[in-house]
Amino acid sequence: MLGAPFALTLSFTQAKRMAARETTDAGVSIPEIQEGEDLFAYIERVKGAFDPILYRQILGAANEFKEGDQMIGVAAVDQRSRDNARQLIERTRIQDLNVNPVFEDELHQLIVQGQSSEAHDRAAKLTVGELKQLLLTQNEAAIKAVAPGLSSDVIGCVVKLMSQQELIAVGAKVFNPLPGSQIGAKDYLGARIQPNSPTDNPDDIFWQVLDGWSYAVGDVVLGTNPVSSEPESVRAVELVLRDLLVTFGVEDVMPHCVLSHIDVQAEVERQSPGSTALWFQSIAGSDDANKTFDISLKKMRDYARSRTGKYGLYFETGQGADFTNGHSHGFDMVLHESRKYGFARALTHEVAAAQKAAGKTPAPWVHLNDVAGFIGPEVFRTREQLVRCCLEDIVMGKLHGLTIGLDVCSTLHMDVSLDDLDWCLDQIMPANPAYLMALPTKIDPMLGYLTTGFQDHVRIREKFGTRVNDAMWAFFQKLAVIDADGKPTQHFGDPTWVYLQYRRKKGDTRSDAAIIKAGRQQLAEIRKRGVFIAEGFGQKPSELNPALKIEIDQIYQDAKKSIWAELSPTFVAGVPSVVPVKTQSNDRLEYILHPTTGELLSNESQTAVQQLRQQYGDKYNVQIVISDGLNALSIMDEGQLEPFLKELRSQLQTAGFRPAEQNIVVRSGRVRAGYRIGETLFGGLVDNRAILHIIGERPGTGHHTFSVYMTSPPGSVWGQAGQVDHNITRVVSGIATTALKPTHAAQDTVRILQQMNLG
């Protein structure tokens, strides 16, 4: 047997109290400035010449406090310093900011090329403070006359000067709707149905779409995050989503999308023309950070130029993603985020130009989803910070001319609860984002984070009077889940009713009762797999069914337990041929609040791995690493790790690999800890060498799931410190006895590893 019951060493409440007591003296101090002094005059006076480091520090110090800025040393040390930084920026002319970009790379050049020269000239002589006043006092037409000429740096700077209410005021009067729709228009709030499945099960995905439509929710995109990025699996999901839209005749109203890497989507389309619609890609704020996503400017521009049909591109971003991937370049998260929007703006222009060159009227269907809060407390910790982030990003997105939606979300290790998310939505909605995520409940069954449920959309419609894209609203009325007055009918919140309409569209001649019964049986199977399906409502249509609410609350509490659990000594000792090591995280709290400490081994552990290298020599080409990650319970639960390891080793041997007998078990380990182990064990050796890193992940899915990260470059690559990263790693996720079976996952792992080595 592998292990024993877990030991919870620190309660979540205790951790919150400890975190609240943490203080730091690190930060940017600007104790005094002179009358009328601007940013560059201050730097000249203090340093005697322009200093790019101080420049970035002052720009960062102007932000509202966030832990991510503090981590890279650009957060203000106190409110006085923050106010002084803002005054310096306020007095600075836009043209001076333009000639001193915060960071120069190819992306910066592309952003500059994407600016309108005419609009640029209108704004250049304004100070940032004058630009702020223009945004607050002028109408949408006046704002749109200058916005296309604003650099991403300038847009990032002006939001630093605004209060929450000022950000709302600007967000509430600038709109960039998608062509031929009301998505992104004033008083409209759309929804991306996110029908994620822990196993990419087609039924899970299919029924979550029907569920959303039963609440008259889902008008922007059917967008699934895949577990597997194998083209065959992605194609299967694409076809499920496409079938739903085509069957109901709304494929020209909204697209579908599987959010795999854009290369995979392109390959799926090549193999099966017409199977894809909208193409997705995560993007970053610098060339180096984009490499982490395995994209380049050339690649993305080439893809943009290929999108000549109705549906173009879909981007996702989020404050903090750059520095957490090791690419802060010394400047703050707001400016990184703004540069991503500049990237998206430039690619939107490319799509429009491609459509024109193809003889079509330019109408680029391109939008961006800001996934605010997904990374964790190393970026920011509180609900107030989440609101600030969302408001900043709404305004920056709109000033870049983008249709911008939000994933107002929280990871389970942030101090943002289910109820807090309702409060956040109420603060954010007056700024009128284009859309939000939409799931059966607030908990994603695959990604295990908190976001927006179907009935949150119903509540927002009730409270703020927002509307759904007109064409889809007419569809929902035709579907008879709402009546001619927009009120819920007897079928509201009943996915089996929508299933009945689907089957009728497919020519099914069975009785209504027989079809409904078959639907009920499918729903029962889906729920057995731990996938949430909402039905009905509480006292109001906007309230979750009480029984489901109880279940969600229980899962939320289990997730908190999972996050703070640690691998017990008894469990570690029970792992076969174990080599226990630890990272530089001194305790669980440090591991959660300072993720980089979980990426590097302690000195003692590094020595232990070096000794393994001496023992191994050139004998092995696979090393298995096991870490607790964010869900130690997933590793320790009976029937999870043991059968996975047994099948994995059997499959490796059969496939001709040479796995080391030792299992390295890492306490407080993150994914990059595996890369560091690989550098020590394999650096400089010939041929491909693989690290298979088994790690607990995604608490909150209702399952205790782990993943295995597969990295298999040549020894020459392992020998270059820091060269190995996520961009050359493949992953199998959602592994649990209640999700992707451990034995099946082991087989998938070796199959993918074989493909990686052949490549």
Side-chain angles (χ1 to χ4, degrees):
M1 302 296 289
L2 276 177
F6 75 95
L8 193 61
T9 60
L10 183 67
S11 76
F12 181 63
T13 302
Q14 288 171 326
K16 287 197 293 182
R17 289 170 181 165
M18 289 176 66
R21 291 199 300 268
E22 282 196 332
T23 59
T24 178
D25 295 325
V28 181
S29 178
I30 309 173
E32 56 82 26
I33 59 176
Q34 294 183 355
E35 185 71 26
E37 196 169 40
D38 74 358
L39 180 56
F40 298 102
Y42 174 83
I43 295 173
E44 180 76 24
R45 176 171 64 83
V46 172
K47 291 290 187 177
F50 179 73
D51 183 289
I53 295 176
L54 180 57
Y55 180 47
R56 293 167 185 161
Q57 288 175 335
I58 296 171
L59 294 175
N63 287 338
E64 286 294 317
F65 176 77
K66 299 188 186 90
E67 280 75 12
D69 290 338
Q70 183 184 54
M71 190 171 291
I72 65 167
V74 299
V77 72
D78 53 30
Q79 188 61 44
R80 179 181 179 86
S81 296
R82 184 172 296 109
D83 292 340
N84 284 339
R86 288 173 176 170
Q87 287 187 53
L88 293 174
I89 294 172
E90 187 174 11
R91 299 166 184 166
T92 300
R93 291 187 303 172
I94 288 173
Q95 63 186 19
D96 293 334
L97 288 173
N98 287 337
V99 298
N100 291 280
V102 69
F103 184 71
E104 293 190 78
D105 58 2
E106 290 185 12
L107 177 56
H108 168 70
Q109 295 302 320
L110 180 64
I111 291 170
V112 171
Q113 293 170 19
Q115 293 174 229
S116 160
S117 57
E118 182 181 350
H120 175 273
D121 293 341
R122 289 194 194 101
K125 293 185 179 179
L126 297 175
T127 65
V128 182
E130 290 169 341
L131 173 62
K132 172 187 167 182
Q133 289 306 309
L134 183 153
L135 297 176
L136 292 173
T137 60
Q138 299 298 305
N139 62 19
E140 183 181 33
I143 293 171
K144 286 190 171 182
V146 300
L150 299 176
S151 71
S152 297
D153 286 358
V154 169
I155 291 173
C157 282
V158 75
V159 301
K160 297 169 186 280
L161 307 183
M162 293 185 185
S163 67
Q164 311 285 80
Q165 288 305 312
E166 288 170 336
L167 290 168
I168 289 170
V170 176
K173 62 179 174 179
V174 178
F175 299 94
N176 305 299
L178 290 175
S181 79
Q182 293 77 38
I183 299 168
K186 182 176 176 58
D187 296 329
Y188 281 80
L189 180 72
R192 168 197 154 189
I193 290 186
Q194 183 171 294
N196 291 345
S197 165
T199 58
D200 286 341
N201 187 294
D203 288 344
D204 296 351
I205 294 163
F206 173 86
W207 276 94
Q208 287 180 78
V209 175
L210 300 188
D211 197 19
W213 283 349
S214 76
Y215 290 96
V217 171
D219 59 333
V220 177
V221 59
L222 305 182
T224 302
N225 299 88
V227 175
S228 169
S229 286
E230 294 298 299
E232 296 78 12
S233 178
V234 170
R235 176 182 176 275
V237 177
E238 294 271 17
L239 292 177
V240 169
L241 299 174
R242 182 179 181 274
D243 170 70
L244 279 162
L245 295 168
V246 170
T247 299
F248 281 108
V250 291
E251 71 273 20
D252 290 330
V253 177
M254 67 181 297
H256 63 282
C257 180
V258 175
L259 280 68
S260 59
H261 191 281
I262 196 167
D263 289 347
V264 176
Q265 295 163 80
E267 177 61 19
V268 170
E269 182 63 24
R270 187 191 69 79
Q271 293 180 6
S272 182
S275 60
T276 70
L278 192 67
W279 282 11
F280 160 83
Q281 182 56 50
S282 293
I283 57 175
S286 69
D287 293 347
D288 291 336
N290 277 312
K291 288 177 184 176
T292 305
F293 295 131
D294 193 23
I295 59 171
S296 65
L297 267 60
K298 181 183 184 306
K299 176 185 286 188
M300 291 306 298
R301 295 180 78 178
D302 286 346
Y303 278 133
R305 291 164 182 161
S306 75
R307 307 300 292 157
T308 57
K310 175 170 182 175
Y311 299 122
L313 294 169
Y314 169 29
F315 304 115
E316 284 195 350
T317 66
Q319 287 194 32
D322 306 83
F323 92 81
T324 58
N325 280 311
H327 301 294
S328 74
H329 296 296
F331 65 96
D332 64 88
M333 299 190 299
V334 168
L335 289 175
H336 272 286
E337 188 73 5
S338 189
R339 284 166 56 97
K340 297 167 198 175
Y341 301 164
F343 191 8
R345 177 172 66 183
L347 292 174
T348 303
H349 294 335
E350 297 274 16
V351 174
Q355 290 176 326
K356 185 175 181 180
K360 301 178 180 179
T361 301
W365 188 287
V366 178
H367 59 86
L368 183 144
N369 176 32
D370 168 34
V371 188
F374 185 74
I375 295 174
E378 64 268 34
V379 175
F380 50 79
R381 300 181 195 174
T382 70
R383 66 179 193 170
E384 289 80 10
Q385 291 172 313
L386 176 56
V387 168
R388 175 73 193 188
C389 171
C390 290
L391 293 177
E392 290 166 347
D393 295 351
I394 289 170
V395 172
M396 290 194 296
K398 290 187 175 188
L399 292 180
H400 277 93
L402 301 175
T403 305
I404 181 166
L406 293 176
D407 192 344
V408 183
C409 61
S410 169
T411 59
L412 275 298
H413 56 313
M414 286 174 65
D415 190 14
V416 179
S417 69
L418 291 164
D419 291 338
D420 286 336
L421 284 182
D422 287 345
W423 179 86
C424 291
L425 290 171
D426 288 349
Q427 311 309 305
I428 294 163
M429 284 308 102
N432 213 154
Y435 60 90
L436 299 173
M437 299 301 98
L439 290 80
T441 74
K442 279 185 168 69
I443 299 183
D444 187 293
M446 188 269 278
L447 295 175
Y449 77 121
L450 309 182
T451 185
T452 319
F454 296 150
Q455 285 167 286
D456 293 313
H457 283 267
V458 180
R459 182 181 71 84
I460 290 168
R461 293 200 297 247
E462 291 175 354
K463 183 166 184 175
F464 294 97
T466 56
R467 292 184 282 174
V468 169
N469 187 34
D470 290 352
M472 281 302 291
W473 193 247
F475 165 69
F476 294 141
Q477 290 175 319
K478 187 176 181 181
L479 201 57
V481 296
I482 51 171
D483 63 21
D485 296 323
K487 302 297 183 182
T489 69
Q490 61 180 327
H491 305 302
F492 187 81
D494 181 0
T496 61
W497 167 258
V498 185
Y499 178 67
L500 174 62
Q501 312 316 305
Y502 171 83
R503 292 308 312 166
R504 291 290 181 238
K505 293 281 186 182
K506 287 291 191 181
D508 195 329
T509 58
R510 290 177 295 172
S511 68
D512 287 3
I515 294 173
I516 294 294
K517 181 180 179 181
R520 288 274 166 221
Q521 292 171 340
Q522 292 181 37
L523 285 178
E525 291 300 316
I526 290 168
R527 290 188 170 111
K528 284 181 183 178
R529 293 193 290 270
V531 175
F532 318 120
I533 297 292
E535 286 190 85
F537 45 85
Q539 293 184 349
K540 297 188 297 184
S542 58
E543 293 180 355
L544 204 62
N545 183 299
L548 182 57
K549 185 179 187 306
I550 291 171
E551 183 181 355
I552 294 301
D553 288 342
Q554 290 171 341
I555 290 172
Y556 177 77
Q557 294 305 319
D558 178 73
K560 292 297 186 183
K561 185 193 303 181
S562 299
I563 286 166
W564 292 99
E566 297 186 80
L567 297 176
S568 70
T570 304
F571 173 83
V572 174
V575 175
S577 303
V578 66
V579 178
V581 300
K582 62 181 181 179
T583 65
Q584 295 180 7
S585 297
N586 291 315
D587 53 36
R588 196 67 181 166
L589 181 63
E590 184 174 35
Y591 172 78
I592 288 172
L593 298 183
H594 301 287
T596 54
T597 63
E599 297 176 355
L600 300 172
L601 297 184
S602 68
N603 292 335
E604 179 183 358
S605 295
Q606 180 64 21
T607 299
V609 177
Q610 288 168 346
Q611 291 172 348
L612 278 182
R613 166 67 180 261
Q614 294 172 2
Q615 296 173 26
Y616 287 179
D618 193 34
K619 186 177 181 181
Y620 304 117
N621 60 8
V622 176
Q623 175 64 59
I624 295 172
V625 177
I626 303 162
S627 293
D628 46 11
L630 285 172
N631 193 349
L633 298 186
S634 70
I635 302 296
M636 293 190 290
D637 281 354
E638 188 170 345
Q640 301 237 118
L641 181 63
E642 185 176 39
F644 178 82
L645 283 179
K646 183 178 179 180
E647 182 68 15
L648 178 64
R649 288 189 173 278
S650 173
Q651 292 287 328
L652 287 170
Q653 294 284 357
T654 300
F657 290 100
R658 306 188 307 277
E661 295 176 3
Q662 292 85 347
N663 293 301
I664 298 176
V665 176
V666 186
R667 193 189 78 186
S668 297
R670 293 194 179 258
V671 175
R672 285 194 174 97
Y675 304 154
R676 306 293 80 83
I677 290 171
E679 291 170 355
T680 302
L681 290 180
F682 299 141
L685 299 179
V686 297
D687 301 327
N688 285 42
R689 308 281 166 158
I691 292 290
L692 303 183
H693 192 170
I694 302 160
I695 187 167
E697 289 193 310
R698 300 176 179 175
T701 61
H703 309 268
H704 289 167
T705 63
F706 62 86
S707 301
V708 55
Y709 287 79
M710 298 159 281
T711 314
S712 185
S716 58
V717 176
W718 283 117
Q720 303 173 50
Q723 182 68 24
V724 174
D725 208 349
H726 304 327
N727 59 312
I728 60 171
T729 295
R730 302 283 292 279
V731 62
V732 175
S733 57
I735 305 168
T737 56
T738 56
L740 177 59
K741 302 298 183 184
T743 52
H744 293 165
Q747 295 162 11
D748 289 345
T749 298
V750 176
R751 177 176 52 80
I752 294 170
L753 184 62
Q754 288 178 299
Q755 294 172 355
M756 294 171 71
N757 285 342
L758 287 173

Short mmCIF file of all heavy atoms in Angstrom, two decimals, residues 724-744:
data_model
loop_
_atom_site.label_atom_id
_atom_site.label_comp_id
_atom_site.label_asym_id
_atom_site.label_seq_id
_atom_site.Cartn_x
_atom_site.Cartn_y
_atom_site.Cartn_z
N VAL A 724 15.09 24.60 -20.25
CA VAL A 724 13.91 23.73 -20.27
C VAL A 724 12.77 24.42 -19.53
O VAL A 724 12.91 24.87 -18.39
CB VAL A 724 14.22 22.37 -19.61
CG1 VAL A 724 12.95 21.54 -19.50
CG2 VAL A 724 15.28 21.64 -20.39
N ASP A 725 11.61 24.52 -20.19
CA ASP A 725 10.46 25.17 -19.56
C ASP A 725 9.18 24.55 -20.13
O ASP A 725 9.22 23.56 -20.85
CB ASP A 725 10.51 26.68 -19.80
CG ASP A 725 9.81 27.48 -18.69
OD1 ASP A 725 9.12 26.86 -17.86
OD2 ASP A 725 9.97 28.70 -18.66
N HIS A 726 8.06 25.20 -19.80
CA HIS A 726 6.75 24.64 -20.14
C HIS A 726 6.55 24.48 -21.65
O HIS A 726 5.75 23.64 -22.07
CB HIS A 726 5.64 25.53 -19.60
CG HIS A 726 5.71 25.77 -18.12
ND1 HIS A 726 6.19 24.85 -17.22
CD2 HIS A 726 5.36 26.85 -17.37
CE1 HIS A 726 6.13 25.34 -16.00
NE2 HIS A 726 5.63 26.55 -16.06
N ASN A 727 7.24 25.28 -22.45
CA ASN A 727 6.97 25.27 -23.88
C ASN A 727 7.39 23.97 -24.57
O ASN A 727 6.94 23.68 -25.67
CB ASN A 727 7.67 26.46 -24.56
CG ASN A 727 9.17 26.45 -24.36
OD1 ASN A 727 9.65 26.27 -23.25
ND2 ASN A 727 9.93 26.65 -25.43
N ILE A 728 8.26 23.16 -23.92
CA ILE A 728 8.63 21.88 -24.52
C ILE A 728 8.09 20.71 -23.68
O ILE A 728 8.59 19.59 -23.77
CB ILE A 728 10.15 21.76 -24.72
CG1 ILE A 728 10.90 21.87 -23.37
CG2 ILE A 728 10.65 22.79 -25.70
CD1 ILE A 728 12.38 21.52 -23.50
N THR A 729 7.11 20.98 -22.88
CA THR A 729 6.54 19.98 -21.97
C THR A 729 5.13 19.62 -22.40
O THR A 729 4.36 20.49 -22.82
CB THR A 729 6.55 20.52 -20.53
OG1 THR A 729 7.91 20.68 -20.10
CG2 THR A 729 5.85 19.57 -19.58
N ARG A 730 4.79 18.36 -22.30
CA ARG A 730 3.42 17.90 -22.54
C ARG A 730 2.85 17.44 -21.21
O ARG A 730 3.59 17.09 -20.28
CB ARG A 730 3.42 16.73 -23.55
CG ARG A 730 4.05 17.08 -24.90
CD ARG A 730 3.13 17.90 -25.77
NE ARG A 730 1.97 17.13 -26.19
CZ ARG A 730 1.97 16.27 -27.20
NH1 ARG A 730 3.08 16.03 -27.89
NH2 ARG A 730 0.86 15.62 -27.53
N VAL A 731 1.53 17.40 -21.13
CA VAL A 731 0.91 17.06 -19.85
C VAL A 731 -0.32 16.17 -20.07
O VAL A 731 -1.07 16.35 -21.04
CB VAL A 731 0.52 18.34 -19.07
CG1 VAL A 731 -0.49 19.17 -19.84
CG2 VAL A 731 0.00 18.00 -17.68
N VAL A 732 -0.49 15.22 -19.18
CA VAL A 732 -1.74 14.48 -19.04
C VAL A 732 -2.31 14.85 -17.69
O VAL A 732 -1.64 14.68 -16.66
CB VAL A 732 -1.51 12.95 -19.12
CG1 VAL A 732 -2.81 12.20 -18.84
CG2 VAL A 732 -0.95 12.56 -20.48
N SER A 733 -3.51 15.38 -17.67
CA SER A 733 -4.07 15.91 -16.42
C SER A 733 -5.40 15.23 -16.09
O SER A 733 -5.90 14.42 -16.85
CB SER A 733 -4.26 17.42 -16.52
OG SER A 733 -5.09 17.75 -17.61
N GLY A 734 -5.94 15.58 -14.93
CA GLY A 734 -7.23 15.03 -14.52
C GLY A 734 -7.18 13.56 -14.16
O GLY A 734 -8.16 12.82 -14.34
N ILE A 735 -6.05 13.11 -13.61
CA ILE A 735 -5.87 11.70 -13.30
C ILE A 735 -6.41 11.41 -11.90
O ILE A 735 -5.97 12.01 -10.91
CB ILE A 735 -4.39 11.29 -13.38
CG1 ILE A 735 -3.80 11.66 -14.75
CG2 ILE A 735 -4.22 9.80 -13.12
CD1 ILE A 735 -2.29 11.57 -14.83
N ALA A 736 -7.36 10.53 -11.80
CA ALA A 736 -7.95 10.13 -10.52
C ALA A 736 -8.80 8.90 -10.75
O ALA A 736 -9.24 8.63 -11.88
CB ALA A 736 -8.79 11.26 -9.92
N THR A 737 -9.07 8.18 -9.69
CA THR A 737 -9.95 7.01 -9.82
C THR A 737 -11.35 7.42 -10.25
O THR A 737 -12.09 6.62 -10.82
CB THR A 737 -10.03 6.25 -8.48
OG1 THR A 737 -10.47 7.15 -7.46
CG2 THR A 737 -8.68 5.67 -8.10
N THR A 738 -11.72 8.68 -10.00
CA THR A 738 -13.05 9.18 -10.35
C THR A 738 -13.05 9.99 -11.64
O THR A 738 -14.09 10.53 -12.03
CB THR A 738 -13.60 10.05 -9.21
OG1 THR A 738 -12.66 11.10 -8.95
CG2 THR A 738 -13.82 9.23 -7.96
N ALA A 739 -11.90 10.12 -12.29
CA ALA A 739 -11.82 10.90 -13.53
C ALA A 739 -11.07 10.07 -14.57
O ALA A 739 -11.54 8.99 -14.96
CB ALA A 739 -11.15 12.24 -13.25
N LEU A 740 -9.92 10.53 -15.04
CA LEU A 740 -9.10 9.74 -15.96
C LEU A 740 -8.40 8.65 -15.15
O LEU A 740 -7.55 8.94 -14.31
CB LEU A 740 -8.08 10.63 -16.67
CG LEU A 740 -7.10 9.92 -17.61
CD1 LEU A 740 -7.84 9.19 -18.73
CD2 LEU A 740 -6.10 10.93 -18.19
N LYS A 741 -8.76 7.40 -15.40
CA LYS A 741 -8.26 6.29 -14.59
C LYS A 741 -6.73 6.25 -14.61
O LYS A 741 -6.11 6.42 -15.68
CB LYS A 741 -8.81 4.96 -15.09
CG LYS A 741 -10.34 4.88 -15.10
CD LYS A 741 -10.92 5.02 -13.70
CE LYS A 741 -12.44 4.86 -13.73
NZ LYS A 741 -13.04 5.11 -12.39
N PRO A 742 -6.10 6.01 -13.45
CA PRO A 742 -4.63 6.02 -13.40
C PRO A 742 -3.96 5.09 -14.40
O PRO A 742 -2.96 5.46 -15.02
CB PRO A 742 -4.35 5.61 -11.95
CG PRO A 742 -5.52 6.13 -11.18
CD PRO A 742 -6.70 5.92 -12.10
N THR A 743 -4.50 3.88 -14.59
CA THR A 743 -3.87 2.96 -15.55
C THR A 743 -3.99 3.47 -16.98
O THR A 743 -3.03 3.37 -17.76
CB THR A 743 -4.51 1.56 -15.45
OG1 THR A 743 -5.94 1.67 -15.57
CG2 THR A 743 -4.17 0.90 -14.11
N HIS A 744 -5.12 4.03 -17.32
CA HIS A 744 -5.28 4.60 -18.66
C HIS A 744 -4.36 5.80 -18.84
O HIS A 744 -3.76 5.98 -19.92
CB HIS A 744 -6.74 5.03 -18.89
CG HIS A 744 -7.69 3.89 -18.94
ND1 HIS A 744 -9.06 4.06 -18.83
CD2 HIS A 744 -7.50 2.56 -19.08
CE1 HIS A 744 -9.66 2.88 -18.90
NE2 HIS A 744 -8.74 1.96 -19.04
#
